[in-house]
Amino acid sequence: DAGVIQSPRHEVTEMGQEVTLRCKPISGHNSLFWYRQTMMRGLELLIYFNNNVPIDDSGMPEDRFSAKMPNASFSTLKIQPSEPRDSAVYFCASKPTGNTIYFGEGSWLTVV
Amino acid sequence: DQQVKQNSPSLSVQEGRISILNCDYTNSMFDYFLWYKKYPAEGPTFLISISSIKDKNEDGRFTVFLNKSAKHLSLHIVPSQPGDSAVYFCAASVYGGSNYKLTFGKGTLLTVNP
């Protein structure tokens, strides 16, 4: 079975540019999460959706960050404009009914 | 305020010996605990979990112990193998209606030496 699929795997962009990260959750999972991993903060929850509806976006750092889930099989995390401090690994994860979430392989973002 | 703490950033053990990774939490509302394993350049993968109604869960070489009164859990790996070398994340969740939150510790890098 395909796991959570993220794209791009690696992105290098210049400060001020828009960045869009994409995620396809595991089919049948009804919850989707965006996490960010940095050395300083570890794994932080940015936002999570349940049945395509945003439930908790309290972890979204600033208005420059936005996330959408237009349907059950696709989500985006957008940063506009990007800044060097946004450099991190961004993980998408999904969850069926139950407690275990399943992560994608991550999108490595570098903003120069 | 860090609700899930892994106070040891790294741990080194000899192949065949026991690895013990520790985790402390502060939120008494947490009712389900998970351990994830992460290799470099990969996403975290689920390893083992435990509900707050239990104090032990075992799966092969991996055992998780939960001490609710101390708000402490630990992961035991016996015997440790070089392939176990990875970052281990402790996570805790609260399940309330449609609101589900999984909070992670910062991880412990385990190195198993041949």
Side-chain angles (χ1 to χ4, degrees):
Chain A
D1 286 340
V4 176
I5 299 172
Q6 293 187 243
S7 65
R9 287 297 313 276
H10 299 271
E11 173 109 359
V12 180
T13 191
E14 290 186 346
M15 182 174 63
Q17 296 297 306
E18 178 180 292
V19 173
T20 300
L21 307 178
R22 297 173 177 79
C23 176
K24 177 178 167 50
I26 296 172
S27 177
H29 286 194
N30 57 3
S31 296
L32 182 140
F33 306 80
W34 283 100
Y35 280 87
R36 178 171 69 176
Q37 184 186 16
T38 60
M39 288 293 291
M40 289 292 291
R41 294 174 173 266
L43 271 168
E44 302 175 273
L45 176 65
L46 300 178
I47 185 171
Y48 105 85
F49 296 85
N50 195 42
N51 294 320
N52 313 341
V53 176
I55 301 298
D56 185 346
D57 65 354
S58 59
M60 296 286 262
E62 299 173 29
D63 291 345
R64 299 183 296 106
F65 285 71
S66 62
K68 293 182 179 179
M69 191 166 186
N71 57 61
S73 59
F74 183 67
S75 177
T76 59
L77 177 68
K78 191 173 290 188
I79 308 171
Q80 166 63 21
S82 58
E83 296 182 4
R85 61 192 166 121
D86 301 331
S87 298
V89 185
Y90 291 82
F91 289 104
C92 178
S94 68
K95 183 179 79 70
T97 303
N99 285 292
T100 303
I101 70 172
Y102 298 86
F103 284 83
E105 294 195 327
S107 291
W108 296 67
L109 173 65
T110 303
V111 183
V112 297
Chain B
D1 178 33
Q2 206 179 342
Q3 296 187 63
V4 178
K5 297 179 184 177
Q6 294 177 255
N7 291 320
S8 297
S10 62
L11 174 68
S12 183
V13 301
Q14 209 62 33
E15 181 178 6
R17 307 294 288 270
I18 184 171
S19 296
I20 300 177
L21 297 103
N22 293 303
C23 178
D24 297 294
Y25 61 96
T26 57
N27 187 342
S28 58
M29 299 296 290
F30 287 142
D31 56 9
Y32 199 82
F33 304 88
L34 307 91
W35 285 92
Y36 281 79
K37 177 179 178 180
K38 183 183 180 304
Y39 291 118
E42 294 184 11
T45 55
F46 170 72
L47 188 58
I48 192 170
S49 62
I50 188 167
S51 164
S52 61
I53 62 173
K54 293 186 174 182
D55 54 18
K56 177 183 175 182
N57 188 27
E58 191 171 353
D59 183 1
R61 297 186 297 113
F62 302 91
T63 303
V64 56
F65 296 91
L66 175 62
N67 182 334
K68 288 186 291 293
S69 60
K71 294 191 177 68
H72 177 82
L73 66 156
S74 60
L75 174 68
H76 292 210
I77 306 173
V78 184
S80 303
Q81 299 173 354
D84 297 329
S85 298
V87 176
Y88 289 79
F89 290 98
C90 169
S93 72
V94 177
Y95 216 132
S98 63
N99 195 356
Y100 174 86
K101 266 198 139 146
L102 188 63
T103 304
F104 284 85
K106 289 191 175 181
T108 297
L109 173 62
L110 173 66
T111 302
V112 180
N113 301 303

